[in-house]
Amino acid sequence: MRAKIFSVTVLSLFLSTVFCAEQKVLKLATTTSTQNSGLLEYLLPAFEVESGYEVHVIAVGTGKALRMGCDGDADIVLVHAPEAEKVFVEQGCGEKRHAVMANDFVIVGPKNDPAGLVTVGSATESLKLIQQSRSLFVSRGDDSGTHKKELGLWQSAGIKPSGEWYREAGQGMGKVLQMAGEMDAYTITDRATWLAYKAKSPLRIVYEGDMVLQNPYSIIAVTANKYPDINHGGASALIDWITGLDAQRLIADFKIENTQLFKPTAKKSVNNQQASTQK
C-alpha cells in the first residue's frame, strides 16, 4: 500500500513538473522580417530573463502565422497585415490587436534601374513602369504581409501581374532578395530585412517614401475561449512587456549601420510619450 501511495505521489509530482515546464514555453508565430532583421534575437532574451518564459519563435509569412494561431498551434502572433489581423480577431481566433512598431516597404532593383523607377512619384506608378517595360519582378508569392502589400499595390495600379516577367517565388524575404539579385530583378521588401541583407546584394533602393508603403506591426494573443490549453498567461506577459516603455526603448535603439529599423508605436512607446510632452 505504501509503495502504491509513493508511486502515485511521484507520478503526480512528475506530471506537475512537466505541466509547469510546458506552461513556461511560449510559442510565438511571427513574420520572417522580425527574425531576418535580428530584432527578436536582440529583444526576446530580456523578456525571457525578466519573465521566466522561454519563447519558441516560429518565423513564417504573416498569412501562415495567422493560420497557426487560428489552428491553436501558437500562443501569440506578431504580424504585419492590418486587414488580415482584423479578420483574425473577428473570426474569434485572436483577442485585441496591440500596436508594437512600424517601418516601411521599399522597392529595390538593379542599379541601372531599367524601368526608370527613380523618376516617378508614387508606388503605383513604379509598378506600372515595371509592367510596361516587362522588367523582371520577383514576388514572394507566399501570403506573407509583404506579399499582401504587394498585391494591394498591383490592384491600386489596376494591374493583374502575369507573364514571363512576373515570377512568384513562394519564399521568405531573404531568399527573394537573393533571387532578385541573381536575376537583376525588382522586388518589394520591408526596410528592416533590406538593411540586414543589402551588404551582400547587388540591388539598390529605387523607390521609397510613399505613405502607402507604411508597415505597421501588431501583436495578438490567441483567444483562450477557443483554445483553453494555450499559454494565455505567457501571451499576456509578452504583450504587457513588448508594449511597455522599456521594450519600446529597446526597439527604438535597434539599429543596423546606425539606421533605426523599427519605430515603436505602442501607446506607452518612446515616440508617443514624446508627442504627449510636446502638446
Side-chain angles (χ1 to χ4, degrees), residues 171-188:
Q171 299 285 338
M173 197 69 253
K175 184 65 176 178
V176 167
L177 284 170
Q178 180 185 340
M179 292 171 63
E182 292 170 354
M183 298 165 63
D184 279 337
Y186 292 94
T187 193
I188 293 174

Side-chain angles (χ1 to χ4, degrees), residues 21-226:
E22 288 177 348
Q23 286 298 97
K24 279 299 181 180
V25 172
L26 180 64
K27 291 178 287 186
L28 169 65
T30 186
T31 72
T32 57
S33 59
T34 59
Q35 183 83 335
N36 290 342
S37 63
L39 176 70
L40 294 182
E41 186 178 355
Y42 157 84
L43 201 60
L44 290 179
F47 168 73
E48 292 179 325
V49 169
E50 184 175 318
S51 69
Y53 287 102
E54 179 184 342
V55 183
H56 288 188
V57 176
I58 308 148
V60 290
T62 284
K64 187 171 182 180
L66 291 173
R67 286 194 295 274
M68 290 183 68
C70 256
D71 291 340
D73 294 327
D75 302 308
I76 191 166
V77 298
L78 175 60
V79 290
H80 63 133
E83 294 306 314
E85 294 163 23
K86 291 174 185 175
V87 172
F88 180 73
V89 173
E90 289 167 0
Q91 289 178 339
C93 296
E95 298 181 354
K96 181 180 177 182
R97 297 168 61 227
H98 299 267
V100 175
M101 59 192 183
N103 62 4
D104 63 344
F105 293 103
V106 296
I107 301 176
V108 297
K111 289 185 177 178
N112 64 340
D113 187 23
L117 270 58
V118 293
T119 64
V120 301
S122 73
T124 54
E125 287 180 61
S126 294
L127 295 187
K128 286 178 182 178
L129 284 180
I130 292 173
Q131 188 261 350
Q132 290 166 5
S133 65
R134 293 296 190 271
S135 298
L136 285 177
F137 183 94
V138 181
S139 168
R140 280 186 61 166
D142 63 349
D143 197 33
S144 61
T146 304
H147 184 219
K148 290 177 187 294
K149 171 60 73 173
E150 178 219 319
L151 293 179
L153 291 172
W154 287 117
Q155 185 175 19
S156 297
I159 297 170
K160 291 184 178 180
S162 62
E164 186 63 23
W165 62 276
Y166 185 75
R167 312 289 179 87
E168 291 186 281
Q171 299 285 338
M173 197 69 253
K175 184 65 176 178
V176 167
L177 284 170
Q178 180 185 340
M179 292 171 63
E182 292 170 354
M183 298 165 63
D184 279 337
Y186 292 94
T187 193
I188 293 174
T189 175
D190 65 282
R191 190 182 294 272
T193 305
W194 169 247
L195 288 171
Y197 279 76
K198 74 171 187 175
K200 48 189 176 184
S201 174
L203 306 176
R204 69 182 178 102
I205 293 177
V206 291
Y207 184 79
E208 61 184 323
D210 194 326
M211 286 302 295
V212 301
L213 296 177
Q214 289 300 300
N215 183 29
Y217 289 74
S218 298
I219 193 164
I220 313 168
V222 173
T223 178
N225 291 334
K226 188 172 183 179

Side-chain angles (χ1 to χ4, degrees), residues 239-273:
I239 289 171
D240 289 343
W241 183 82
I242 204 168
T243 59
L245 192 55
D246 289 344
Q248 291 283 291
R249 283 197 178 108
L250 287 174
I251 291 170
D253 291 341
F254 182 61
K255 298 178 181 179
I256 292 179
E257 295 182 1
N258 208 33
T259 300
Q260 182 179 343
L261 270 66
F262 297 95
K263 173 185 175 182
T265 58
K267 289 183 179 179
K268 293 173 279 189
S269 74
V270 178
N271 291 322
N272 286 328
Q273 189 181 63

